[in-house]
Coordinates of all heavy atoms in Angstrom, one line a residue:
L6 N 175.1 68.2 13.4 CA 174.7 69.6 13.7 C 174.2 69.7 15.1 O 173.3 68.9 15.4 CB 173.7 70.0 12.6 CG 173.3 71.5 12.6 CD1 174.4 72.4 12.2 CD2 172.1 71.6 11.6
L51 N 162.0 77.5 14.1 CA 163.2 78.1 13.8 C 164.1 77.3 12.9 O 165.2 77.7 12.4 CB 164.0 78.5 15.1 CG 163.6 79.6 15.9 CD1 164.1 79.7 17.2 CD2 163.9 81.0 15.2
L52 N 163.6 76.1 12.6 CA 164.3 75.3 11.5 C 163.5 75.3 10.2 O 163.7 74.5 9.4 CB 164.5 73.9 12.0 CG 165.5 73.6 13.1 CD1 165.5 72.2 13.6 CD2 166.8 74.0 12.7
G53 N 162.6 76.2 10.2 CA 161.9 76.5 8.8 C 160.5 76.1 8.6 O 159.9 76.1 7.6
L72 N 167.8 80.9 17.4 CA 168.3 79.5 17.6 C 169.8 79.6 17.3 O 170.2 79.9 16.2 CB 167.5 78.5 16.7 CG 167.9 77.0 16.9 CD1 167.6 76.6 18.3 CD2 167.3 76.2 15.8
L74 N 173.2 77.3 16.7 CA 173.6 76.0 16.3 C 175.1 75.9 16.1 O 175.8 77.0 15.9 CB 173.0 75.5 15.0 CG 171.4 75.6 14.9 CD1 170.9 76.9 14.3 CD2 170.9 74.4 14.1
T76 N 178.3 73.6 14.0 CA 178.7 72.5 13.1 C 180.2 72.1 13.4 O 180.9 72.9 14.0 CB 178.6 72.9 11.5 OG1 179.6 74.0 11.4 CG2 177.2 73.3 11.2
F83 N 176.8 79.4 14.8 CA 176.0 80.5 14.2 C 174.6 80.6 14.7 O 174.2 79.8 15.5 CB 175.9 80.3 12.7 CG 175.2 79.1 12.3 CD1 173.8 79.1 12.0 CD2 175.9 77.8 12.1 CE1 173.2 77.9 11.5 CE2 175.2 76.7 11.7 CZ 173.9 76.8 11.5
L85 N 170.5 81.8 14.2 CA 169.4 82.2 13.3 C 168.4 83.1 14.1 O 168.1 82.8 15.3 CB 168.8 80.9 12.9 CG 169.7 79.9 12.0 CD1 168.9 78.6 11.7 CD2 170.2 80.6 10.7
F94 N 164.8 84.5 7.4 CA 165.7 84.4 8.5 C 166.9 85.4 8.3 O 167.3 85.7 7.2 CB 166.3 83.0 8.7 CG 165.3 81.9 9.0 CD1 164.4 81.4 8.0 CD2 165.2 81.4 10.3 CE1 163.4 80.5 8.4 CE2 164.2 80.6 10.7 CZ 163.4 80.0 9.7
L113 N 168.5 84.6 4.8 CA 168.2 83.3 4.3 C 166.7 83.2 4.1 O 166.0 83.4 5.0 CB 168.7 82.2 5.3 CG 170.3 82.2 5.6 CD1 170.6 81.2 6.7 CD2 171.1 82.0 4.4
S123 N 169.0 80.2 1.1 CA 167.9 79.8 1.9 C 168.3 79.1 3.1 O 169.4 78.5 3.0 CB 166.9 78.9 1.1 OG 167.5 77.7 0.8
L124 N 167.5 79.0 4.1 CA 167.9 78.3 5.3 C 168.1 76.9 5.1 O 169.1 76.2 5.5 CB 166.7 78.5 6.4 CG 167.0 77.7 7.7 CD1 168.2 78.1 8.4 CD2 165.8 77.8 8.5
S125 N 167.2 76.3 4.2 CA 167.3 74.9 3.9 C 168.6 74.5 3.2 O 169.2 73.6 3.5 CB 166.1 74.5 3.0 OG 166.2 73.1 2.7
S126 N 168.9 75.3 2.1 CA 170.1 74.9 1.4 C 171.3 75.2 2.2 O 172.3 74.4 2.1 CB 170.2 75.8 0.1 OG 170.2 77.1 0.5
Y127 N 171.4 76.1 3.2 CA 172.5 76.4 4.1 C 172.7 75.3 5.0 O 173.8 74.7 5.2 CB 172.3 77.7 4.8 CG 173.4 77.9 5.8 CD1 174.6 78.5 5.3 CD2 173.3 77.7 7.1 CE1 175.5 78.8 6.1 CE2 174.4 78.0 8.0 CZ 175.6 78.5 7.5 OH 176.6 78.7 8.4
L128 N 171.6 74.7 5.6 CA 171.8 73.7 6.5 C 172.1 72.3 5.8 O 173.0 71.5 6.4 CB 170.4 73.4 7.3 CG 170.0 74.5 8.3 CD1 168.7 74.3 8.9 CD2 171.0 74.8 9.3
L129 N 171.6 72.1 4.6 CA 171.8 70.9 3.8 C 173.3 70.9 3.4 O 174.0 69.8 3.4 CB 171.0 70.8 2.7 CG 169.5 70.5 2.9 CD1 168.7 70.5 1.6 CD2 169.3 69.2 3.6
Q130 N 173.9 72.1 3.1 CA 175.3 72.2 2.7 C 176.2 71.7 3.9 O 177.1 71.0 3.7 CB 175.6 73.7 2.3 CG 177.0 73.8 1.8 CD 177.2 73.3 0.5 OE1 176.4 73.2 -0.3 NE2 178.5 72.7 0.2
S131 N 175.9 72.1 5.2 CA 176.6 71.7 6.3 C 176.6 70.2 6.6 O 177.5 69.7 7.3 CB 176.2 72.5 7.5 OG 174.9 72.2 7.9
L132 N 175.5 69.6 6.1 CA 175.3 68.2 6.3 C 175.8 67.4 5.1 O 175.5 66.1 5.1 CB 173.8 67.9 6.6 CG 173.2 68.5 7.8 CD1 171.7 68.3 7.9 CD2 173.9 68.0 9.1
R133 N 176.3 67.9 4.1 CA 176.8 67.2 2.9 C 175.6 66.6 2.1 O 175.7 65.6 1.5 CB 177.7 66.2 3.2 CG 179.0 66.5 3.9 CD 179.8 65.3 4.4 NE 179.0 64.5 5.3 CZ 179.3 63.3 5.7 NH1 180.4 62.8 5.3 NH2 178.5 62.7 6.6
L134 N 174.4 67.3 2.2 CA 173.3 66.9 1.5 C 172.7 67.8 0.5 O 171.6 67.7 -0.1 CB 172.2 66.6 2.6 CG 172.3 65.3 3.4 CD1 171.3 65.3 4.5 CD2 172.2 64.1 2.5
A135 N 173.5 68.9 0.1 CA 173.0 69.8 -0.8 C 173.0 69.2 -2.2 O 173.8 68.4 -2.6 CB 174.0 71.1 -0.8
S151 N 164.7 69.0 0.7 CA 164.6 70.2 1.6 C 164.9 69.8 3.0 O 164.6 68.7 3.5 CB 163.2 70.8 1.5 OG 163.0 71.8 2.5
F152 N 165.5 70.7 3.9 CA 165.7 70.4 5.2 C 164.4 70.1 5.9 O 164.5 69.3 7.0 CB 166.4 71.6 6.0 CG 167.0 71.2 7.4 CD1 168.1 70.5 7.5 CD2 166.2 71.5 8.5 CE1 168.5 70.1 8.7 CE2 166.6 71.2 9.7 CZ 167.7 70.5 9.9
R153 N 163.3 70.6 5.4 CA 162.0 70.2 6.0 C 161.7 68.7 5.9 O 161.0 68.2 6.7 CB 160.9 71.1 5.5 CG 161.0 72.6 5.7 CD 161.1 72.9 7.2 NE 160.0 72.3 8.0 CZ 160.0 72.2 9.2 NH1 161.1 72.6 9.9 NH2 159.0 71.7 9.9
L155 N 163.8 66.5 6.4 CA 164.6 66.0 7.5 C 164.1 66.3 8.9 O 164.1 65.5 9.8 CB 166.0 66.3 7.4 CG 166.8 66.0 6.1 CD1 168.2 66.6 6.2 CD2 166.9 64.4 6.0
S156 N 163.7 67.5 9.0 CA 163.3 68.0 10.4 C 162.1 67.2 11.0 O 162.0 67.0 12.2 CB 162.8 69.5 10.2 OG 161.7 69.6 9.4
P542 N 171.1 64.9 10.5 CA 171.3 66.2 11.2 C 172.1 66.1 12.5 O 172.7 67.1 13.0 CB 169.8 66.6 11.5 CG 169.1 66.0 10.4 CD 169.7 64.7 10.1
F544 N 171.0 65.3 15.5 CA 170.3 65.6 16.8 C 168.9 65.1 16.7 O 168.4 65.0 15.5 CB 170.3 67.1 17.2 CG 169.6 68.0 16.2 CD1 168.2 68.2 16.3 CD2 170.3 68.6 15.1 CE1 167.5 69.0 15.4 CE2 169.5 69.3 14.3 CZ 168.2 69.6 14.4

Side-chain angles (χ1 to χ4, degrees):
L6 186 65
L51 286 164
L52 290 174
L72 182 67
L74 303 96
T76 61
F83 60 94
L85 300 173
F94 292 80
L113 298 176
S123 67
L124 175 66
S125 175
S126 60
Y127 179 80
L128 295 177
L129 291 177
Q130 184 71 35
S131 67
L132 297 174
R133 301 170 300 168
L134 288 171
S151 167
F152 190 79
R153 295 307 303 165
L155 302 176
S156 61
F544 65 88

